[in-house]
Amino acid sequence: EKHEGTPSPDVIVWTDVQSPGKPEIMSLTCKSGNTLFLRWMRPEVFYRTVDVYAVHYRARQAGAEMEWEQQMVETVNNTINHMMYINNLTTNTAYEVRVRAATQSLVGVKKVHEGEWS
């Protein structure tokens, strides 16, 4: 003989995505005295999609820690190969560049899961 009560209502829970892996920088070249051309590949590991990339760059100067400049690059159709120009740089200056992928949360409004830097 079973002694079961009335069933509880169904509970629906969504799991969220995780942060994507590191993008791989394929090339970084000078196009002119004040412009760099950057090409990178989508991370091998990602969940659902990569929605946006943060591209940071800064001048390298001995003995000084310069502020990072940032440009956001939105993705289209989950593209694998990405490229951009970084303009208005200082001539005859070495620059450090890094890229990070991010995925929009499925459950948190305006929450973004950021991956590691390239």
Side-chain angles (χ1 to χ4, degrees), residues 2 7 65:
K2 291 185 180 180
E65 190 76 12

Side-chain angles (χ1 to χ4, degrees), residues 13-112:
V13 178
W14 289 91
T15 58
D16 204 359
V17 295
Q18 291 184 339
S19 299
K22 290 181 185 181
E24 183 178 355
I25 293 178
M26 304 306 288
S27 67
L28 179 63
T29 55
C30 285
K31 283 300 183 188
S32 68
N34 64 353
T35 300
L36 293 174
F37 179 72
L38 172 64
R39 190 169 71 83
W40 71 94
M41 298 291 284
R42 181 182 68 194
E44 288 186 17
V45 176
F46 63 96
Y47 306 90
R48 190 178 55 91
T49 184
V50 173
D51 296 307
V52 68
Y53 291 94
V55 176
H56 284 195
Y57 57 95
R58 67 181 175 186
R60 295 185 69 187
Q61 293 184 352
E65 190 76 12
M66 305 299 289
E67 291 279 325
W68 288 102
E69 301 285 335
Q70 175 178 282
Q71 289 188 29
M72 301 301 288
V73 179
E74 293 189 17
T75 62
V76 178
N77 299 327
N78 211 17
T79 307
I80 295 171
N81 193 8
H82 299 273
M83 58 194 80
M84 69 175 292
Y85 288 97
I86 303 172
N87 298 308
N88 301 320
L89 303 175
T90 304
T91 303
N92 200 26
T93 302
Y95 280 86
E96 185 177 358
V97 177
R98 64 185 186 179
V99 180
R100 176 165 57 190
T103 300
Q104 287 287 131
S105 170
L106 296 175
V107 296
V109 178
K110 294 190 178 181
K111 181 175 171 70
V112 175

Side-chain angles (χ1 to χ4, degrees), residues 1-6:
E1 179 174 322
K2 291 185 180 180
H3 298 286
E4 293 181 3
T6 57

